[in-house]
Every structure is written in C-alpha cells, then in structure tokens.
Amino acid sequence: MADEFAKGLGIATTAGLAWMVLSGWYTTPGFEDTQLLGEIPGTLDMYGSLAILLREAFFWFAIFGMVFFWIIVPTMNKVRRARS
C-alpha cells in the first residue's frame, strides 16, 4: 500500500513542479501581477505553444496520476481480495 502512495506522490510532485515552472515562464507577467494563473500570451512561437500544451498535460497527469495510484489501484486490490 505504501508503494502506491509513493508512486502517486512522486507523480504529483514531479508533474506539479513541471507545471509550476512552465506556468512561471509563460503565464506570470510580473512579480506584482497574477502569478502562475495569468493570461497566456497571444504571441507565442511553436516552442511556446508546445510549452503551453505540455503545461496542460502535466497538470492533468498530476491529477490523474494521484487519483489512479491513491484511489483506483487500492480499490482494485480490495475488490480482488474480496473475490478470492
């Protein structure tokens, strides 16, 4: 059970840090302005657009990774043990 928690925490930490870095680079207009959740700039090149796509992917990977390892895997293990 502890290994599932560690896997979910590792995914949340790594993907969350990647999301925060990309958000800090692309959606923080200034220190006094809205940080990490500001407007996405409209004048992005191909790499900027790819970074915004990765930002969204890291966010959802963090959410679904935690849900998968903290809820779904332990539930499947309990169901499997109950059927045996």
Side-chain angles (χ1 to χ4, degrees), residues 8-81:
L9 185 63
I11 287 173
T13 303
T14 306
L17 177 63
W19 179 85
M20 285 186 356
V21 166
L22 291 172
S23 293
W25 285 344
Y26 289 99
T27 59
T28 300
F31 186 73
E32 294 84 16
D33 296 332
T34 302
Q35 296 183 1
L36 302 179
L37 298 174
E39 290 290 321
I40 297 172
T43 57
L44 291 176
D45 58 350
M46 183 184 72
Y47 293 115
S49 298
L50 180 63
I52 296 299
L53 181 70
L54 276 173
R55 175 183 171 254
E56 296 298 320
F58 282 131
F59 175 78
W60 290 110
F61 181 62
I63 299 296
F64 289 133
M66 286 187 300
V67 168
F68 183 76
F69 282 109
W70 290 353
I71 296 172
I72 295 174
V73 170
T75 303
M76 288 180 355
N77 287 339
K78 274 190 176 182
V79 168
R80 191 177 305 135
R81 274 189 241 126

